[in-house]
Amino acid sequence: QRGDHTEKDEHVRKLCAQVDEATERIKKLEGDLAKAHNESARIASEVVPPENVFTPELKEKMARLEVENALLNEAKQGEESERVALLEKQVVDLSQMKEKFKQDYYTAHKQVLECENELEVLRAKEKELA
């Protein structure tokens, strides 16, 4: 029994040592957390509040840039509209040209067929005469 008692005591001592180590780590982490909080507060106090960032000069410049941006967008849309209109006209012109070439092709093809037919008729008559 003496051995059991000694083993239990040893086990309890080890657990107490682990608890003491954990307690020390917790205290150190709490100290680090406090330091980090203080540093964060210091940095936050150095930051310029947002309402002071937009000076009258900066606000004026932003307003000018917004107007300029709006004008550029309008001009761009106008140019795009003109470009689209030009492209649409070109599409119509090309479609008309295609139709004309198609008609010319069919006319020429019909004439070739008529000429071939006439040539066959003439050859047939030539054979009859020969």
Side-chain angles (χ1 to χ4, degrees), residues 16-35:
C16 286
Q18 288 176 350
V19 168
D20 288 344
E21 286 177 22
T23 302
E24 286 301 313
R25 276 188 294 189
I26 288 172
K27 285 180 183 176
K28 183 181 181 322
L29 289 172
E30 286 173 341
D32 291 346
L33 181 62
K35 286 179 190 175

Side-chain angles (χ1 to χ4, degrees), residues 62-99:
M62 287 173 55
R64 276 192 322 233
L65 289 173
E66 287 174 353
V67 169
E68 184 179 332
N69 188 37
L71 292 173
L72 288 171
N73 281 333
E74 287 176 20
K76 180 181 172 190
Q77 288 175 353
E79 289 172 10
E80 287 176 357
S81 296
E82 290 174 15
R83 179 81 174 134
V84 167
L86 177 63
L87 290 172
E88 287 174 344
K89 183 181 180 322
Q90 289 175 344
V91 166
V92 168
D93 291 347
L94 289 172
S95 294
Q96 289 173 349
M97 286 175 60
K98 176 186 167 195
E99 280 303 312

